[in-house]
Amino acid sequence: MVATTNTGKQLAKMKVGSKGHVSHFTDNCMACKLLSMGILPGTQIEVVRAAPFGGGCYIKADNLLIALRKSEACSIVVR
C-alpha cells in the first residue's frame, strides 16, 4: 500500500520508545520487502533501539523484533 500523501511520521525520525501503527509505505520496491518481513499497514510498531550516527533501528512489530536499515525505516510512515 503506497500513498503519496504525507499523513504521519517517518519511522526513521521516531525516538526510542515511541509507538504507532503503520499507515503506508513511500517506496514500492521497499514495500514489497517490508510486506514479506511481516510489516503490514496497521501493524503496531515500537522503536526499541536506534543505531548511533543516523544508522538503522531495531523495532518491535506485533511481537516480532526486526532490525531495519535507515532506507527501510524511511519508507515506513507511522500514524
Side-chain angles (χ1 to χ4, degrees):
M1 176 177 200
V2 177
T4 56
T5 58
N6 192 7
T7 57
K9 188 175 189 178
Q10 283 184 344
L11 178 63
K13 294 182 181 178
M14 293 176 64
K15 297 186 184 226
V16 174
S18 56
K19 297 180 182 180
H21 289 84
V22 175
S23 174
H24 60 274
F25 306 107
T26 59
D27 181 11
N28 283 329
C29 294
M30 201 63 70
C32 291
K33 182 176 182 180
L34 293 168
L35 289 170
S36 68
M37 291 169 59
I39 302 173
L40 308 170
T43 301
Q44 182 176 352
I45 297 251
E46 177 184 359
V47 180
V48 177
R49 183 182 247 173
F53 306 113
C57 62
Y58 193 53
I59 65 166
K60 187 175 184 181
D62 285 342
N63 293 323
L64 295 172
L65 296 173
I66 301 171
L68 297 174
R69 294 180 178 100
K70 185 174 182 180
S71 60
E72 295 166 341
C74 285
S75 68
I76 300 173
V77 179
V78 179
R79 58 178 148 81

